[in-house]
Amino acid sequence: MEEKEELIKRTEQLKKYNNEALDAYTNIAQVPDYSPDFFTEVKPFADKVKECADQWKPLAEQWVVDDKPTYFYLKQIEDTHENILISSVTAFQSDTKEKRFREMIQSIDYILSGIEKEIDVNQ
């Protein structure tokens, strides 16, 4: 049960980071002539996202293996992990394509919210 609680905690944190990435993209990357400082803005954010995502991934994978949820697969966990790492950096890049970025954010949120709901229903 402790692992599920940890998974829920990490999932909630990743959802917050996902929203922060969207905010960063909306508020920073879209400002003309603004270039965020890599070492004070981009790297610290990307590092904390990576740390949380790296802790989340094995918990989520173990949950998929143990609980065999109907609509979640190991590939989705892998893809979500990779996508959140990518979005944590591309959020700060002014040349990021808006449609693709927003779709990635939505995809990440869909999986994370789905995991929360699935665990909540089965507890």
Side-chain angles (χ1 to χ4, degrees):
M1 193 50 98
E2 279 181 29
E3 283 183 357
K4 275 194 188 161
E5 288 170 14
E6 188 66 21
L7 174 58
I8 290 169
K9 191 173 103 182
R10 296 282 168 221
T11 302
E12 288 171 354
Q13 187 61 54
L14 284 178
K15 283 181 72 174
K16 287 179 187 162
Y17 288 151
N18 197 41
N19 286 329
E20 285 180 39
L22 180 59
D23 288 345
Y25 177 77
T26 306
N27 299 325
I28 297 170
Q30 297 308 299
V31 176
D33 302 328
Y34 178 77
S35 179
D37 184 75
F38 180 78
F39 291 103
T40 60
E41 292 178 78
V42 182
K43 189 175 184 327
F45 181 69
D47 286 349
K48 67 183 181 178
V49 170
K50 181 173 177 9
E51 181 182 350
C52 186
D54 287 351
Q55 293 168 346
W56 170 82
K57 186 180 176 210
L59 294 168
E61 288 173 336
Q62 193 60 53
W63 170 71
V64 168
V65 169
D66 291 347
D67 288 24
K68 298 174 181 48
T70 310
Y71 300 109
F72 292 95
Y73 307 96
L74 291 174
K75 176 81 172 112
Q76 289 170 302
I77 303 301
E78 177 76 34
D79 290 347
T80 301
H81 178 263
E82 186 177 325
N83 285 342
I84 200 151
L85 297 182
I86 292 167
S87 70
S88 70
V89 175
T90 57
F92 294 92
Q93 298 172 345
S94 59
D95 62 347
T96 298
K97 301 283 184 251
E98 183 173 5
K99 184 176 187 298
R100 185 151 188 261
F101 182 77
R102 289 186 181 276
E103 286 171 354
M104 186 183 297
I105 293 289
Q106 283 179 328
S107 171
I108 293 164
D109 191 64
Y110 179 80
I111 296 296
L112 296 176
S113 296
I115 288 172
E116 283 181 327
K117 286 181 189 131
E118 184 77 21
I119 291 173
D120 195 38
V121 166
N122 293 316
Q123 276 192 339

